[in-house]
Amino acid sequence: YVERGLKVLAEYNSTEAPGVFYSGSVAEVPDKQNKFRYLVLFDDGTARYCNFLDCYTSPEQGFISSVNEVHRKFIEYYNKMYTEGGFQILDLSRQQSVIVEVNGEWKLC
């Protein structure tokens, strides 16, 4: 079982570069809300939901020195807030919009 906070090697982008794995940390474990996938926060600051076949535990656990300090702080903050429960990463009003990546494409929402 892969726990939240554990270092993993996960498939970085299965559609554009299948079979390419990169190190990251598990931010969410599979449950009904995330369609039974792991949310992996990669060491370069990107994030992706991965199924269990795309994640492998890393022999190196804990934060590694190659993780950018800004990304490391975000991952630490995310893990702290997730542990304390019930937080929003993004809070928008009706007049605001955001650009998000969906299946490898950027969309204005």
Side-chain angles (χ1 to χ4, degrees), residues 40-93:
V40 177
L41 302 178
F42 290 97
D43 293 345
D44 69 352
T46 60
R48 177 175 177 261
Y49 279 102
C50 303
N51 70 46
F52 73 96
L53 295 174
D54 295 335
C55 292
Y56 300 91
T57 56
S58 174
E60 183 176 333
Q61 293 302 314
F63 291 106
I64 55 175
S65 59
S66 65
V67 177
N68 176 299
E69 182 180 354
V70 173
H71 300 148
R72 184 172 52 248
K73 286 183 178 183
F74 171 77
I75 292 168
E76 290 169 349
Y77 172 77
Y78 184 95
N79 284 331
K80 178 180 183 279
M81 296 306 291
Y82 188 90
T83 302
E84 293 173 3
F87 78 100
Q88 293 176 299
I89 293 179
L90 187 62
D91 187 19
L92 299 173
S93 68

Side-chain angles (χ1 to χ4, degrees), residues 9-32:
L9 298 174
E11 193 165 20
Y12 190 67
N13 186 331
S14 61
T15 55
E16 293 180 17
V20 175
F21 288 78
Y22 198 70
S23 64
S25 299
V26 173
E28 293 178 15
V29 295
D31 64 19
K32 190 174 181 178

